[in-house]
Amino acid sequence: MPSLELRKVLAAAAVAALGGCATADAVNARAAHDYPTLDRVRYVFTCMRDNPGPPAYEMMAKCSCAIDAIAKEVPHDKFETMATAFDANTIGGERGSYIRDAKAMQAEVRAYRDLQARVKKACFIAPQ
């Protein structure tokens, strides 16, 4: 049986060989921006629906680029808050007035629009 020090060295070498050299902070940061697959797929389908015209495969690549760019920039919970406020902003009547009248919600809507504009430009999604 190898000594404890030798086992530590071997374990470190094995982790490095497998590409696991990331620090705990880097792993946690990556996890904070890890979006559930369902949310990524939903975003891509919505993006493709909202941007008809180019071939489906091309639009799928562009929309995937957009959600990947968003995920690098914004944690998932923040993205959910912004996207929900943006969607709720379109609710008509008295129920929608709560969102439209709340300054905090309008700040989220503006942040979402700005984020969308940046990622669409970066991923070559034509403005509408």
Side-chain angles (χ1 to χ4, degrees), residues 17-100:
L18 294 174
C21 298
T23 65
D25 289 339
V27 171
N28 290 338
R30 224 175 317 161
H33 294 271
D34 190 22
Y35 287 33
T37 303
L38 179 62
D39 288 349
R40 287 179 181 265
V41 171
R42 185 180 303 130
Y43 181 91
V44 170
F45 279 166
T46 301
C47 174
M48 290 174 68
R49 181 199 66 209
D50 293 346
N51 297 282
Y57 185 79
E58 177 185 345
M59 224 36 241
M60 182 175 51
K62 289 179 177 184
C63 293
S64 294
C65 168
I67 191 62
D68 290 345
I70 290 169
K72 285 179 185 173
E73 188 172 332
V74 180
H76 181 254
D77 58 342
K78 178 69 173 168
F79 173 75
E80 278 188 322
T81 300
M82 291 188 308
T84 301
F86 179 80
D87 290 341
N89 199 46
T90 63
I91 297 172
E94 189 176 322
R95 290 185 323 155
S97 67
Y98 171 76
I99 300 297
R100 289 186 298 275

